[in-house]
Structure formats: C-alpha cells, structure tokens
C-alpha cells in the first residue's frame, strides 16, 4: 500500500503561481510513474501531468501545456507540479496518483491506470 499526501493548494489570483507537492510513502518511489489529475466541480478527472519513473518521459494535458511543469525528487519521494499563469478555470481539486511501473519507463494518461491516489488539495483561482 502506498500513501500519497498532497500539499500546496490554496486560494490565489489569476496570473499567480503555485507549487504543489506530493510525498509518497513507498521505498521504491523510483519505480513508480507519478501523475497529477484534477477534478473541477461537476467534472470528470482530467490529466494535468505525468512523469515516468526515470523522469525522462513527461506528458501534459492540453490545459497544462506551456503553463505547468511536473518534476520529481526521488531522494525526497516527492513529485511536484509547478503551476504558472493560473486561470479561474484551473480551479479544481488536484490529486496525486501513482502506478508501479518497474519494467516500462512511461506515463499513463487515464485515471483508471493509476492504482494509488492521494486525498487531493484544493486550488482556487479568483479572477
């Protein structure tokens, strides 16, 4: 069982930046594909960003491209999401997800492909 704990979400103004963090409990963090999803009110889960176990492969949802950056620190067992130029439509609960991927250095785009999930952190962007 892997526990994921997100932090960093808060109320900000449009144009501001936030860095979200997700700490994992597993000793084999370096074998996990990590991702950030978000869910706006009344909406489905949406991929924000994903990063492969090596960090060499990243993937971004359309809404995140050019504004958000995903990174990982294996020593700290932490994945980060740097969010810049935030817009009111970025308002959502942001979830960290993990999938054990020891054989393939890849990302996954769909929420059902991730086994472990955090509780989420709320990001609210005011106009």
């Amino acid at each position: 069982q892997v526990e994921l704990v997100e932090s960093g979400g808060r109320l900000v103004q449009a144009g501001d930046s936030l860095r979200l963090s997700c700490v994992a409990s597993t000793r084999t963090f370096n074998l996990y594909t990590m991702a950030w999803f978000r869910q706006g009110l009344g909406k489905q889960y949406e991929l924000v960003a994903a990063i492969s176990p090596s960090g060499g492969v990243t993937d971004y949802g359309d809404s995140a491209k050019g504004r958000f950056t995903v990174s990982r620190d294996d020593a700290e067992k932490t994945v980060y999401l740097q969010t810049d130029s935030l817009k009111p439509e970025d308002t959502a609960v942001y979830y960290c997800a993990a999938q054990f991927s020891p054989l393939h250095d890849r990302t996954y785009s769909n929420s059902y492909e991730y086994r472990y999930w955090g509780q989420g952190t709320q990001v609210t962007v005011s106009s």
Side-chain angles (χ1 to χ4, degrees), residues 17-20 36 60 67-71 80-84:
S17 298
L18 277 178
R19 188 175 80 157
L20 307 183
W36 288 94
Y60 293 91
R67 297 188 300 128
F68 295 179
T69 304
V70 63
S71 62
Y80 301 100
L81 183 69
Q82 178 67 39
T83 65
D84 297 321

Side-chain angles (χ1 to χ4, degrees), residues 41-42 54 77 82:
L41 191 62
S54 75
K77 302 177 187 177
Q82 178 67 39

